[in-house]
Protein backbone atom coordinates (compact mmCIF):
# COMPACT_ATOMS: atom_id res chain seq x y z
CA UNK A 1 0.00 0.00 0.00
CA UNK A 2 3.01 2.34 -0.03
CA UNK A 3 1.97 4.04 -3.31
CA UNK A 4 -1.69 4.51 -2.35
CA UNK A 5 -2.95 7.95 -3.37
CA UNK A 6 -6.75 7.88 -3.13
CA UNK A 7 -8.76 5.78 -0.69
CA UNK A 8 -12.56 5.71 -0.52
CA UNK A 9 -14.18 4.41 2.66
CA UNK A 10 -17.88 3.65 2.35
CA UNK A 11 -20.06 4.26 5.41
CA UNK A 12 -19.65 6.84 8.16
CA UNK A 13 -20.27 4.52 11.08
CA UNK A 14 -17.77 3.46 13.73
CA UNK A 15 -16.07 1.00 11.36
CA UNK A 16 -15.74 3.54 8.55
CA UNK A 17 -14.32 6.21 10.84
CA UNK A 18 -11.82 3.82 12.34
CA UNK A 19 -10.81 2.52 8.90
CA UNK A 20 -10.30 6.06 7.57
CA UNK A 21 -8.30 7.04 10.67
CA UNK A 22 -6.20 3.91 10.35
CA UNK A 23 -5.40 4.56 6.67
CA UNK A 24 -4.31 8.14 7.47
CA UNK A 25 -2.25 6.92 10.44
CA UNK A 26 -0.32 4.41 8.36
CA UNK A 27 -0.33 6.39 5.09
CA UNK A 28 -0.43 10.09 6.01
CA UNK A 29 -0.09 11.20 2.39
CA UNK A 30 -3.08 9.20 1.17
CA UNK A 31 -6.14 11.20 0.20
CA UNK A 32 -8.92 9.55 2.15
CA UNK A 33 -12.61 10.24 1.59
CA UNK A 34 -15.30 8.79 3.80
CA UNK A 35 -18.68 8.54 2.06
CA UNK A 36 -21.89 8.49 4.12
CA UNK A 37 -25.24 8.02 2.39
CA UNK A 38 -27.43 9.39 5.18
CA UNK A 39 -27.51 12.93 6.54
CA UNK A 40 -25.76 11.95 9.78
CA UNK A 41 -22.53 10.13 10.51
CA UNK A 42 -22.07 7.93 13.58
CA UNK A 43 -25.80 7.76 14.24
CA UNK A 44 -25.61 4.22 15.63
CA UNK A 45 -22.76 5.18 17.93
CA UNK A 46 -25.06 7.88 19.30
CA UNK A 47 -27.70 5.35 20.40
CA UNK A 48 -25.25 2.58 21.28
CA UNK A 49 -25.12 1.25 24.82
CA UNK A 50 -28.37 3.04 25.68
CA UNK A 51 -26.76 6.38 24.74
CA UNK A 52 -23.60 5.66 26.76
CA UNK A 53 -21.63 3.68 24.10
CA UNK A 54 -20.17 0.43 25.35
CA UNK A 55 -16.77 0.88 23.65
CA UNK A 56 -15.18 -2.43 24.59
CA UNK A 57 -14.85 -5.04 27.34
CA UNK A 58 -12.41 -5.16 30.22
CA UNK A 59 -11.72 -8.86 29.61
CA UNK A 60 -8.31 -9.06 27.96
CA UNK A 61 -8.20 -12.84 27.86
CA UNK A 62 -8.80 -13.31 24.14
CA UNK A 63 -9.87 -16.95 24.34
CA UNK A 64 -12.57 -16.41 26.95
CA UNK A 65 -13.62 -13.17 25.23
CA UNK A 66 -14.11 -15.00 21.92
CA UNK A 67 -15.96 -17.83 23.67
CA UNK A 68 -18.52 -15.25 24.85
CA UNK A 69 -19.58 -14.57 21.25
CA UNK A 70 -22.55 -16.73 20.23
CA UNK A 71 -21.12 -16.82 16.69
CA UNK A 72 -18.02 -15.51 14.91
CA UNK A 73 -15.76 -15.89 17.97
CA UNK A 74 -13.25 -17.99 16.04
CA UNK A 75 -12.97 -15.40 13.28
CA UNK A 76 -12.52 -12.62 15.84
CA UNK A 77 -9.59 -14.29 17.58
CA UNK A 78 -6.85 -13.14 15.18
CA UNK A 79 -8.38 -9.68 14.99
CA UNK A 80 -8.39 -9.33 18.78
CA UNK A 81 -4.75 -10.46 18.96
CA UNK A 82 -3.87 -7.65 16.52
CA UNK A 83 -6.07 -5.02 18.18
CA UNK A 84 -7.68 -6.14 21.39
CA UNK A 85 -9.84 -4.60 24.11
CA UNK A 86 -6.81 -3.08 25.84
CA UNK A 87 -5.69 -1.48 22.54
CA UNK A 88 -9.16 0.04 22.20
CA UNK A 89 -8.98 1.45 25.73
CA UNK A 90 -5.48 2.80 25.11
CA UNK A 91 -6.57 4.34 21.82
CA UNK A 92 -9.33 6.37 23.45
CA UNK A 93 -7.34 7.22 26.57
CA UNK A 94 -4.45 8.47 24.38
CA UNK A 95 -7.01 10.89 22.99
CA UNK A 96 -8.06 12.08 26.44
CA UNK A 97 -11.27 10.06 26.66
CA UNK A 98 -11.51 8.69 30.20
CA UNK A 99 -13.07 5.24 30.37
CA UNK A 100 -14.44 3.11 33.19
CA UNK A 101 -15.18 -0.58 33.46
CA UNK A 102 -18.41 -1.68 35.10
CA UNK A 103 -18.58 -4.82 37.30
CA UNK A 104 -19.83 -6.91 34.36
CA UNK A 105 -16.80 -5.89 32.28
CA UNK A 106 -18.48 -3.41 29.95
CA UNK A 107 -16.37 -0.32 29.32
CA UNK A 108 -18.01 3.09 28.90
CA UNK A 109 -16.78 6.67 28.75
CA UNK A 110 -16.71 8.19 32.24
CA UNK A 111 -19.07 10.84 30.87
CA UNK A 112 -21.73 8.11 30.37
CA UNK A 113 -22.45 9.86 27.09
CA UNK A 114 -21.88 8.42 23.61
CA UNK A 115 -21.36 11.99 22.35
CA UNK A 116 -17.90 11.86 24.00
CA UNK A 117 -16.96 9.05 21.62
CA UNK A 118 -18.48 10.86 18.63
CA UNK A 119 -16.58 14.04 19.52
CA UNK A 120 -13.34 12.06 19.78
CA UNK A 121 -13.84 10.43 16.36
CA UNK A 122 -14.83 13.75 14.75
CA UNK A 123 -11.78 15.45 16.28
CA UNK A 124 -9.56 12.70 14.91
CA UNK A 125 -11.18 13.16 11.51
CA UNK A 126 -10.17 16.85 11.63
CA UNK A 127 -6.65 16.09 12.83
CA UNK A 128 -6.06 13.40 10.25
CA UNK A 129 -7.57 15.62 7.61
CA UNK A 130 -9.75 13.18 5.74
CA UNK A 131 -12.77 14.20 3.73
CA UNK A 132 -16.31 13.49 4.83
CA UNK A 133 -18.91 13.43 2.05
C1 LIG B 1 -29.55 0.15 19.77
C2 LIG B 1 -28.15 -0.33 19.51
C3 LIG B 1 -27.22 -0.30 20.53
C4 LIG B 1 -25.92 -0.73 20.30
N1 LIG B 1 -25.01 -0.64 21.30
C5 LIG B 1 -23.72 -0.98 21.08
C6 LIG B 1 -22.73 -0.78 22.06
O1 LIG B 1 -22.99 -0.23 23.12
N2 LIG B 1 -21.45 -1.16 21.77
C7 LIG B 1 -21.12 -1.69 20.56
O2 LIG B 1 -19.93 -2.00 20.33
N3 LIG B 1 -22.04 -1.89 19.61
C8 LIG B 1 -23.32 -1.54 19.84
N4 LIG B 1 -24.25 -1.69 18.86
C9 LIG B 1 -23.83 -2.26 17.62
C10 LIG B 1 -23.38 -1.07 16.79
O3 LIG B 1 -24.34 -0.85 15.79
C11 LIG B 1 -22.03 -1.34 16.19
O4 LIG B 1 -21.05 -1.64 17.15
C12 LIG B 1 -21.50 -0.16 15.37
O5 LIG B 1 -22.29 0.98 15.41
C13 LIG B 1 -21.45 -0.68 13.98
O6 LIG B 1 -20.71 0.26 13.26
P1 LIG B 1 -20.54 0.06 11.72
O7 LIG B 1 -19.69 1.19 11.24
O8 LIG B 1 -20.08 -1.33 11.42
O9 LIG B 1 -22.02 0.13 11.12
P2 LIG B 1 -23.05 1.35 11.11
O10 LIG B 1 -22.99 2.16 12.35
O11 LIG B 1 -24.35 0.74 10.70
O12 LIG B 1 -22.49 2.28 9.96
C14 LIG B 1 -22.63 1.97 8.59
C15 LIG B 1 -22.82 3.30 7.88
O13 LIG B 1 -22.73 3.08 6.49
C16 LIG B 1 -23.70 3.87 5.84
N5 LIG B 1 -23.91 3.28 4.51
C17 LIG B 1 -24.49 2.09 4.22
N6 LIG B 1 -24.46 1.88 2.88
C18 LIG B 1 -23.83 2.94 2.35
C19 LIG B 1 -23.51 3.32 1.01
N7 LIG B 1 -23.80 2.52 -0.04
N8 LIG B 1 -22.86 4.49 0.79
C20 LIG B 1 -22.54 5.30 1.85
N9 LIG B 1 -22.85 5.01 3.13
C21 LIG B 1 -23.48 3.84 3.37
C22 LIG B 1 -24.89 3.83 6.77
O14 LIG B 1 -25.77 4.91 6.55
C23 LIG B 1 -24.18 3.93 8.15
O15 LIG B 1 -24.01 5.25 8.59
C24 LIG B 1 -25.56 -1.24 19.05
C25 LIG B 1 -26.51 -1.26 18.01
C26 LIG B 1 -27.78 -0.81 18.23
C27 LIG B 1 -28.77 -0.82 17.11
Amino acid sequence: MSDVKNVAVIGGGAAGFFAAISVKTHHPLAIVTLFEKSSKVLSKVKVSGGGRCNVTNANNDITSLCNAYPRGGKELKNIFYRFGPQDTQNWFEDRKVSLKAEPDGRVFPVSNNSQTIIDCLMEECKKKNFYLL
Side-chain angles (χ1 to χ4, degrees):
M1 283 251 309
S2 60
D3 57 356
V4 165
K5 296 242 185 321
N6 283 289
V7 177
V9 179
I10 312 299
F17 267 75
F18 216 77
I21 290 165
S22 180
V23 173
K24 285 297 278 183
T25 301
H26 297 291
H27 304 278
L29 298 181
I31 299 163
V32 179
T33 308
L34 179 56
F35 293 91
E36 170 54 46
K37 73 171 180 181
S38 74
S39 58
K40 248 189 181 157
V41 294
L42 299 169
S43 54
K44 265 196 205 163
V45 172
K46 183 73 180 168
V47 298
S48 67
R52 296 197 297 149
C53 191
N54 176 194
V55 285
T56 187
N57 196 279
N59 180 4
N60 280 297
D61 177 64
I62 303 299
T63 301
S64 74
L65 186 68
C66 290
N67 286 341
Y69 281 81
R71 56 190 178 279
K74 204 173 140 207
E75 288 74 17
L76 284 171
K77 207 167 190 173
N78 278 339
I79 296 168
F80 280 145
Y81 275 117
R82 289 177 66 182
F83 197 91
Q86 190 59 56
D87 298 310
T88 304
Q89 291 202 51
N90 294 345
W91 194 90
F92 281 106
E93 286 174 348
D94 285 349
R95 286 156 185 81
K96 312 284 176 241
V97 175
S98 302
L99 301 171
K100 56 163 180 171
E102 300 204 334
D104 62 3
R106 291 180 303 162
V107 175
F108 293 95
V110 166
S111 67
N112 275 329
N113 190 342
S114 58
Q115 190 60 43
T116 304
I117 302 302
I118 293 174
D119 292 345
C120 173
L121 293 172
M122 291 303 289
E123 184 60 30
E124 203 61 19
C125 164
K126 262 193 242 155
K127 272 194 212 148
K128 291 277 187 287
N129 202 22
F130 61 78
Y131 299 98
L132 208 47
L133 292 179

